[in-house]
Amino acid sequence: MVQGRPQDTGSLYKVRNIIPALDQLGGVRKMRCRDPYSGTPGWNTYVGLAREGVTFCFTLSVRDIARTLSDLRAFLAAAPSSIWAIEFPNEPDLNPVTYKGTKDARLGFRTGNAPAFMAYIGDMATALRSDPILSAIPLIASNDYMQAEQKPYTDFGNTHIYPRPATNVEDRLDVLDRRLAGAGQSHCVITEWGRTTGGGEGNVTSPPVSLEDQRRLLAKDVASVLSRPTVHVLNIYELFSWGGSSEMNNFGLFNADLSPRPAAVALRSLLT
């Protein structure tokens, strides 16, 4: 699975760019994206991708639950069987949830103190599981923290992993397996895994690597993850690099001119 931003209609993420890139990865057809909003320009991009065979893991925004369900049902009506999973809101530690008049403290999710978030996912899970159209879609926990607390509402655990250049990936995956077991989860989705070639030692995720090291390391990463029975799906962050020299703009498997980076070639060989 790869990360995409079809809702950003002024960006690289157009149907005409995404599908050829996915084909160059050997025909990958799973993407992780924000949930679609009906009536927005990005809606047509999402639907266009779904009609090309892309299926989505949608990361929920915290908005009116009835409106979210209505949009998800409308999306499936336009593109049947196109949602393979729904993920609860991304990084609620850094993006605190406000729900029913309660707002979580920033970083509260990291310490197990996120009552607004837990109230939201409890209500959302109940609504999804009682909906005749949406009830069969698997639910993925929000990343990394409060996995045990989310277990009653989810089918899969979750984590984000951005290895440092010298990280022993097998050890890191062993830690993940132990965390899953401790939370009572048997399987997870790694919704973010990436190695940037931009920024510097002060990067938020990990220090940058060269293009050649990105190729070598990502190929080893994916091979290691695919050997783990506890990992249901791995999501590579992300499909395109946006240009410039910053950390966040240089995770991509393809350059801003749509040409493949060495990592894309290596992953195609691995996946096919």
mmCIF file of all heavy atoms in Angstrom, residues 1-8 11 13 18 30-34 46 49 56-57 235-240 242:
data_model
loop_
_atom_site.group_PDB
_atom_site.id
_atom_site.type_symbol
_atom_site.label_atom_id
_atom_site.label_comp_id
_atom_site.label_asym_id
_atom_site.label_seq_id
_atom_site.Cartn_x
_atom_site.Cartn_y
_atom_site.Cartn_z
ATOM 1 N N MET A 1 0.851 -1.186 0.000
ATOM 2 C CA MET A 1 0.000 0.000 0.000
ATOM 3 C C MET A 1 0.889 1.238 0.000
ATOM 4 O O MET A 1 1.975 1.239 0.579
ATOM 5 C CB MET A 1 -0.891 -0.012 1.245
ATOM 6 C CG MET A 1 -1.853 1.163 1.334
ATOM 7 S SD MET A 1 -3.104 0.936 2.615
ATOM 8 C CE MET A 1 -2.128 1.099 4.115
ATOM 9 N N VAL A 2 0.443 2.304 -0.651
ATOM 10 C CA VAL A 2 1.206 3.546 -0.701
ATOM 11 C C VAL A 2 0.326 4.716 -0.272
ATOM 12 O O VAL A 2 -0.896 4.686 -0.420
ATOM 13 C CB VAL A 2 1.772 3.813 -2.112
ATOM 14 C CG1 VAL A 2 2.880 2.835 -2.440
ATOM 15 C CG2 VAL A 2 0.684 3.764 -3.174
ATOM 16 N N GLN A 3 0.985 5.735 0.246
ATOM 17 C CA GLN A 3 0.315 6.945 0.711
ATOM 18 C C GLN A 3 0.008 7.859 -0.460
ATOM 19 O O GLN A 3 0.848 8.033 -1.355
ATOM 20 C CB GLN A 3 1.240 7.673 1.691
ATOM 21 C CG GLN A 3 0.666 8.935 2.299
ATOM 22 C CD GLN A 3 -0.104 8.635 3.568
ATOM 23 O OE1 GLN A 3 -0.075 7.511 4.059
ATOM 24 N NE2 GLN A 3 -0.760 9.625 4.098
ATOM 25 N N GLY A 4 -1.170 8.461 -0.450
ATOM 26 C CA GLY A 4 -1.517 9.394 -1.501
ATOM 27 C C GLY A 4 -2.368 10.533 -0.984
ATOM 28 O O GLY A 4 -2.893 10.481 0.115
ATOM 29 N N ARG A 5 -2.517 11.555 -1.801
ATOM 30 C CA ARG A 5 -3.278 12.754 -1.402
ATOM 31 C C ARG A 5 -4.228 13.190 -2.515
ATOM 32 O O ARG A 5 -4.147 14.316 -3.001
ATOM 33 C CB ARG A 5 -2.323 13.897 -1.082
ATOM 34 C CG ARG A 5 -1.211 13.529 -0.103
ATOM 35 C CD ARG A 5 -0.311 14.713 0.170
ATOM 36 N NE ARG A 5 0.873 14.326 0.908
ATOM 37 C CZ ARG A 5 1.810 15.187 1.320
ATOM 38 N NH1 ARG A 5 1.697 16.470 1.048
ATOM 39 N NH2 ARG A 5 2.869 14.766 1.981
ATOM 40 N N PRO A 6 -5.125 12.331 -2.947
ATOM 41 C CA PRO A 6 -6.004 12.717 -4.062
ATOM 42 C C PRO A 6 -6.880 13.916 -3.775
ATOM 43 O O PRO A 6 -7.387 14.548 -4.699
ATOM 44 C CB PRO A 6 -6.855 11.463 -4.287
ATOM 45 C CG PRO A 6 -6.045 10.352 -3.726
ATOM 46 C CD PRO A 6 -5.329 10.948 -2.561
ATOM 47 N N GLN A 7 -7.088 14.225 -2.480
ATOM 48 C CA GLN A 7 -7.922 15.387 -2.177
ATOM 49 C C GLN A 7 -7.223 16.693 -2.529
ATOM 50 O O GLN A 7 -7.861 17.733 -2.654
ATOM 51 C CB GLN A 7 -8.326 15.396 -0.693
ATOM 52 C CG GLN A 7 -7.230 15.792 0.276
ATOM 53 C CD GLN A 7 -6.292 14.640 0.603
ATOM 54 O OE1 GLN A 7 -6.431 13.540 0.090
ATOM 55 N NE2 GLN A 7 -5.328 14.891 1.467
ATOM 56 N N ASP A 8 -5.887 16.668 -2.686
ATOM 57 C CA ASP A 8 -5.133 17.870 -3.042
ATOM 58 C C ASP A 8 -5.109 17.992 -4.561
ATOM 59 O O ASP A 8 -4.150 17.593 -5.216
ATOM 60 C CB ASP A 8 -3.704 17.789 -2.491
ATOM 61 C CG ASP A 8 -3.676 17.707 -0.972
ATOM 62 O OD1 ASP A 8 -4.652 18.138 -0.347
ATOM 63 O OD2 ASP A 8 -2.682 17.218 -0.425
ATOM 64 N N SER A 11 -2.184 19.148 -6.845
ATOM 65 C CA SER A 11 -0.907 18.483 -6.616
ATOM 66 C C SER A 11 -0.602 17.462 -7.691
ATOM 67 O O SER A 11 -1.291 17.337 -8.699
ATOM 68 C CB SER A 11 -0.934 17.790 -5.250
ATOM 69 O OG SER A 11 -1.684 16.592 -5.340
ATOM 70 N N TYR A 13 -1.075 14.447 -7.289
ATOM 71 C CA TYR A 13 -1.956 13.305 -7.083
ATOM 72 C C TYR A 13 -3.213 13.389 -7.938
ATOM 73 O O TYR A 13 -4.311 13.678 -7.479
ATOM 74 C CB TYR A 13 -2.293 13.161 -5.601
ATOM 75 C CG TYR A 13 -1.118 12.633 -4.824
ATOM 76 C CD1 TYR A 13 -0.246 13.482 -4.177
ATOM 77 C CD2 TYR A 13 -0.853 11.267 -4.778
ATOM 78 C CE1 TYR A 13 0.850 12.998 -3.482
ATOM 79 C CE2 TYR A 13 0.238 10.774 -4.098
ATOM 80 C CZ TYR A 13 1.083 11.637 -3.451
ATOM 81 O OH TYR A 13 2.169 11.151 -2.773
ATOM 82 N N ILE A 18 -1.125 8.970 -10.863
ATOM 83 C CA ILE A 18 -1.078 7.910 -9.855
ATOM 84 C C ILE A 18 -1.099 6.524 -10.501
ATOM 85 O O ILE A 18 -0.297 5.649 -10.132
ATOM 86 C CB ILE A 18 -2.246 8.062 -8.866
ATOM 87 C CG1 ILE A 18 -2.074 9.336 -8.036
ATOM 88 C CG2 ILE A 18 -2.334 6.847 -7.947
ATOM 89 C CD1 ILE A 18 -3.256 9.656 -7.149
ATOM 90 N N LYS A 30 -3.538 -0.632 -3.666
ATOM 91 C CA LYS A 30 -4.034 -0.181 -2.364
ATOM 92 C C LYS A 30 -3.397 1.164 -2.032
ATOM 93 O O LYS A 30 -2.190 1.347 -2.190
ATOM 94 C CB LYS A 30 -3.696 -1.181 -1.258
ATOM 95 C CG LYS A 30 -4.612 -2.395 -1.161
ATOM 96 C CD LYS A 30 -4.288 -3.187 0.102
ATOM 97 C CE LYS A 30 -5.347 -4.240 0.393
ATOM 98 N NZ LYS A 30 -5.295 -5.354 -0.525
ATOM 99 N N MET A 31 -4.228 2.101 -1.538
ATOM 100 C CA MET A 31 -3.722 3.409 -1.122
ATOM 101 C C MET A 31 -4.314 3.789 0.229
ATOM 102 O O MET A 31 -5.428 3.388 0.572
ATOM 103 C CB MET A 31 -4.062 4.487 -2.155
ATOM 104 C CG MET A 31 -3.394 4.289 -3.498
ATOM 105 S SD MET A 31 -3.625 5.705 -4.613
ATOM 106 C CE MET A 31 -2.508 6.892 -3.848
ATOM 107 N N ARG A 32 -3.546 4.551 0.970
ATOM 108 C CA ARG A 32 -4.025 5.141 2.230
ATOM 109 C C ARG A 32 -4.182 6.633 2.014
ATOM 110 O O ARG A 32 -3.247 7.318 1.612
ATOM 111 C CB ARG A 32 -3.029 4.888 3.354
ATOM 112 C CG ARG A 32 -3.386 5.598 4.671
ATOM 113 C CD ARG A 32 -2.243 5.455 5.652
ATOM 114 N NE ARG A 32 -2.519 6.048 6.946
ATOM 115 C CZ ARG A 32 -1.774 7.004 7.507
ATOM 116 N NH1 ARG A 32 -0.732 7.508 6.862
ATOM 117 N NH2 ARG A 32 -2.076 7.470 8.703
ATOM 118 N N CYS A 33 -5.379 7.149 2.281
ATOM 119 C CA CYS A 33 -5.692 8.550 2.026
ATOM 120 C C CYS A 33 -6.667 9.057 3.087
ATOM 121 O O CYS A 33 -7.289 8.282 3.807
ATOM 122 C CB CYS A 33 -6.360 8.723 0.659
ATOM 123 S SG CYS A 33 -5.485 7.965 -0.723
ATOM 124 N N ARG A 34 -6.808 10.363 3.172
ATOM 125 C CA ARG A 34 -7.868 10.931 4.012
ATOM 126 C C ARG A 34 -9.234 10.557 3.442
ATOM 127 O O ARG A 34 -9.391 10.341 2.236
ATOM 128 C CB ARG A 34 -7.744 12.455 4.056
ATOM 129 C CG ARG A 34 -6.445 12.947 4.658
ATOM 130 C CD ARG A 34 -6.372 14.457 4.540
ATOM 131 N NE ARG A 34 -5.019 14.936 4.757
ATOM 132 C CZ ARG A 34 -4.589 16.144 4.400
ATOM 133 N NH1 ARG A 34 -5.423 16.993 3.807
ATOM 134 N NH2 ARG A 34 -3.346 16.509 4.634
ATOM 135 N N TYR A 46 -10.798 10.682 -6.332
ATOM 136 C CA TYR A 46 -10.965 9.434 -5.591
ATOM 137 C C TYR A 46 -11.792 8.422 -6.395
ATOM 138 O O TYR A 46 -11.413 7.251 -6.521
ATOM 139 C CB TYR A 46 -11.684 9.695 -4.276
ATOM 140 C CG TYR A 46 -10.849 10.194 -3.128
ATOM 141 C CD1 TYR A 46 -11.029 11.467 -2.609
ATOM 142 C CD2 TYR A 46 -9.909 9.362 -2.521
ATOM 143 C CE1 TYR A 46 -10.295 11.908 -1.532
ATOM 144 C CE2 TYR A 46 -9.170 9.800 -1.433
ATOM 145 C CZ TYR A 46 -9.358 11.079 -0.938
ATOM 146 O OH TYR A 46 -8.630 11.509 0.127
ATOM 147 N N LEU A 49 -9.908 7.002 -9.364
ATOM 148 C CA LEU A 49 -8.936 5.988 -8.970
ATOM 149 C C LEU A 49 -9.628 4.669 -8.635
ATOM 150 O O LEU A 49 -9.163 3.591 -9.023
ATOM 151 C CB LEU A 49 -8.132 6.479 -7.768
ATOM 152 C CG LEU A 49 -7.134 7.596 -8.040
ATOM 153 C CD1 LEU A 49 -6.599 8.158 -6.725
ATOM 154 C CD2 LEU A 49 -5.977 7.096 -8.898
ATOM 155 N N PHE A 56 -9.100 1.624 -1.056
ATOM 156 C CA PHE A 56 -8.598 2.619 -0.119
ATOM 157 C C PHE A 56 -8.683 2.185 1.334
ATOM 158 O O PHE A 56 -9.656 1.546 1.752
ATOM 159 C CB PHE A 56 -9.405 3.916 -0.259
ATOM 160 C CG PHE A 56 -9.229 4.615 -1.571
ATOM 161 C CD1 PHE A 56 -10.112 4.376 -2.615
ATOM 162 C CD2 PHE A 56 -8.176 5.499 -1.781
ATOM 163 C CE1 PHE A 56 -9.963 5.006 -3.843
ATOM 164 C CE2 PHE A 56 -8.017 6.136 -2.996
ATOM 165 C CZ PHE A 56 -8.908 5.902 -4.034
ATOM 166 N N CYS A 57 -7.662 2.550 2.071
ATOM 167 C CA CYS A 57 -7.753 2.673 3.522
ATOM 168 C C CYS A 57 -7.986 4.151 3.788
ATOM 169 O O CYS A 57 -7.101 4.977 3.535
ATOM 170 C CB CYS A 57 -6.461 2.204 4.191
ATOM 171 S SG CYS A 57 -6.329 2.665 5.936
ATOM 172 N N ASN A 235 2.197 0.156 4.592
ATOM 173 C CA ASN A 235 1.993 1.343 3.771
ATOM 174 C C ASN A 235 3.302 2.119 3.665
ATOM 175 O O ASN A 235 3.881 2.514 4.672
ATOM 176 C CB ASN A 235 0.924 2.243 4.401
ATOM 177 C CG ASN A 235 0.742 3.534 3.621
ATOM 178 O OD1 ASN A 235 0.444 3.514 2.433
ATOM 179 N ND2 ASN A 235 0.931 4.669 4.283
ATOM 180 N N ILE A 236 3.765 2.332 2.434
ATOM 181 C CA ILE A 236 4.973 3.116 2.203
ATOM 182 C C ILE A 236 4.600 4.590 2.107
ATOM 183 O O ILE A 236 3.725 4.984 1.341
ATOM 184 C CB ILE A 236 5.678 2.683 0.904
ATOM 185 C CG1 ILE A 236 6.099 1.214 0.991
ATOM 186 C CG2 ILE A 236 6.888 3.574 0.622
ATOM 187 C CD1 ILE A 236 7.140 0.924 2.033
ATOM 188 N N TYR A 237 5.267 5.380 2.917
ATOM 189 C CA TYR A 237 5.076 6.832 2.895
ATOM 190 C C TYR A 237 6.233 7.445 2.089
ATOM 191 O O TYR A 237 7.369 7.370 2.518
ATOM 192 C CB TYR A 237 5.100 7.368 4.327
ATOM 193 C CG TYR A 237 4.748 8.829 4.435
ATOM 194 C CD1 TYR A 237 3.440 9.222 4.635
ATOM 195 C CD2 TYR A 237 5.724 9.808 4.328
ATOM 196 C CE1 TYR A 237 3.099 10.561 4.730
ATOM 197 C CE2 TYR A 237 5.396 11.149 4.415
ATOM 198 C CZ TYR A 237 4.091 11.519 4.618
ATOM 199 O OH TYR A 237 3.759 12.851 4.690
ATOM 200 N N GLU A 238 5.977 8.004 0.911
ATOM 201 C CA GLU A 238 4.735 8.080 0.181
ATOM 202 C C GLU A 238 5.020 7.906 -1.291
ATOM 203 O O GLU A 238 6.173 7.608 -1.680
ATOM 204 C CB GLU A 238 4.002 9.398 0.474
ATOM 205 C CG GLU A 238 4.694 10.647 -0.004
ATOM 206 C CD GLU A 238 3.870 11.884 0.311
ATOM 207 O OE1 GLU A 238 2.754 11.978 -0.254
ATOM 208 O OE2 GLU A 238 4.343 12.703 1.101
ATOM 209 N N LEU A 239 4.017 8.100 -2.154
ATOM 210 C CA LEU A 239 4.168 7.787 -3.569
ATOM 211 C C LEU A 239 5.084 8.783 -4.286
ATOM 212 O O LEU A 239 6.018 8.377 -4.991
ATOM 213 C CB LEU A 239 2.792 7.747 -4.232
ATOM 214 C CG LEU A 239 2.739 7.231 -5.673
ATOM 215 C CD1 LEU A 239 3.309 5.822 -5.783
ATOM 216 C CD2 LEU A 239 1.305 7.266 -6.192
ATOM 217 N N PHE A 240 4.829 10.077 -4.126
ATOM 218 C CA PHE A 240 5.597 11.098 -4.854
ATOM 219 C C PHE A 240 6.403 11.978 -3.904
ATOM 220 O O PHE A 240 5.945 12.303 -2.796
ATOM 221 C CB PHE A 240 4.664 12.004 -5.663
ATOM 222 C CG PHE A 240 3.957 11.313 -6.785
ATOM 223 C CD1 PHE A 240 2.579 11.197 -6.786
ATOM 224 C CD2 PHE A 240 4.659 10.772 -7.848
ATOM 225 C CE1 PHE A 240 1.906 10.560 -7.818
ATOM 226 C CE2 PHE A 240 4.007 10.130 -8.890
ATOM 227 C CZ PHE A 240 2.622 10.030 -8.877
ATOM 228 N N TRP A 242 7.729 15.808 -3.505
ATOM 229 C CA TRP A 242 7.123 17.057 -3.962
ATOM 230 C C TRP A 242 8.141 18.058 -4.490
ATOM 231 O O TRP A 242 7.776 19.115 -4.976
ATOM 232 C CB TRP A 242 6.326 17.683 -2.819
ATOM 233 C CG TRP A 242 5.108 16.895 -2.477
ATOM 234 C CD1 TRP A 242 5.067 15.666 -1.898
ATOM 235 C CD2 TRP A 242 3.749 17.261 -2.727
ATOM 236 N NE1 TRP A 242 3.773 15.232 -1.751
ATOM 237 C CE2 TRP A 242 2.933 16.206 -2.249
ATOM 238 C CE3 TRP A 242 3.140 18.376 -3.284
ATOM 239 C CZ2 TRP A 242 1.550 16.236 -2.336
ATOM 240 C CZ3 TRP A 242 1.752 18.415 -3.352
ATOM 241 C CH2 TRP A 242 0.978 17.346 -2.891
#
